Amino acid sequence: MVIRIGVIALQGNVEEHIQAAERVLDERDGGEAISIKHGGIVPSCDAIIIPGGESTTIGWLMEREGISSEIKAAAKKNVPILGTCAGLILLAKHGDGEINKTKQPLLELMDVHMKRNAFGRQKESFEALLDVPVLKGDKFPAVFIRAPAITSAEKNVQVLASLNGYIVAAQQKNLIALAFHPELTKDMRFHHYFMDMI
Ligand code: GLN
């Protein structure tokens, strides 16, 4: 069986994610990483990545293309789903006051509260070394770009890493939410951890 990773390709860091996924698949038993721009493709994928970008735009376009409902169905079937940055926002069940006001569409899959731009808008981007016990070994170099964060999580959510009092990496069964961009660093341990779930 050829492993197929689908990257939601409506807006944002799509190419970086496809290249990172291909690199990791090559290090394993092979497989393909494909871009998803419309409905009908998600059901053929063994794992799904929702990239960073503008969560409002990605959310509306996913609804319009019929991708949101397919992702929700895949999540129920235990297909591994990785959301990075804007992808974390979209995976969450609850947002902050601003999100409640704008009513941006969320997939509402993870039992967490999140906050957009948790680290401020001015600090456009920064790198932090995270302690991530499940990855073993060295600290993980995480690149944050206008990053969101998880402000609270239900007990069924496993906290994988925290920073400045916020949860920045979390897992709920087959769902992984990262506030940062693992596709932008050379350290592919998060990708391997994700693909181990297939
Ligand atoms: N701040 C962005 C949003 O709310 C997310 C930033 C990112 O994905 N790099 O959509």
Side-chain angles (χ1 to χ4, degrees), residues 4 26 48 64 67 74 110 115-116 129 176 197:
R4 175 182 263 199
D26 282 348
I48 302 288
R64 192 185 77 184
I67 294 173
M110 288 181 74
K115 184 177 160 65
R116 285 179 72 183
L129 287 171
I176 296 181
M197 289 162 49

Side-chain angles (χ1 to χ4, degrees), residues 51-56 84-87 89 116-117 145-148 181:
E54 175 50 49
S55 61
T56 324
T84 65
C85 205
I89 295 172
R116 285 179 72 183
N117 301 307
I145 305 171
R146 292 184 299 283
H181 291 261

Side-chain angles (χ1 to χ4, degrees), residues 3-7 36 45-49 79-81 194-195 198:
I3 297 285
R4 175 182 263 199
I5 311 283
V7 178
I36 299 176
C45 296
D46 301 295
I48 302 288
I49 296 175
V79 172
I81 300 176
F194 173 60
M195 290 189 197
I198 295 172

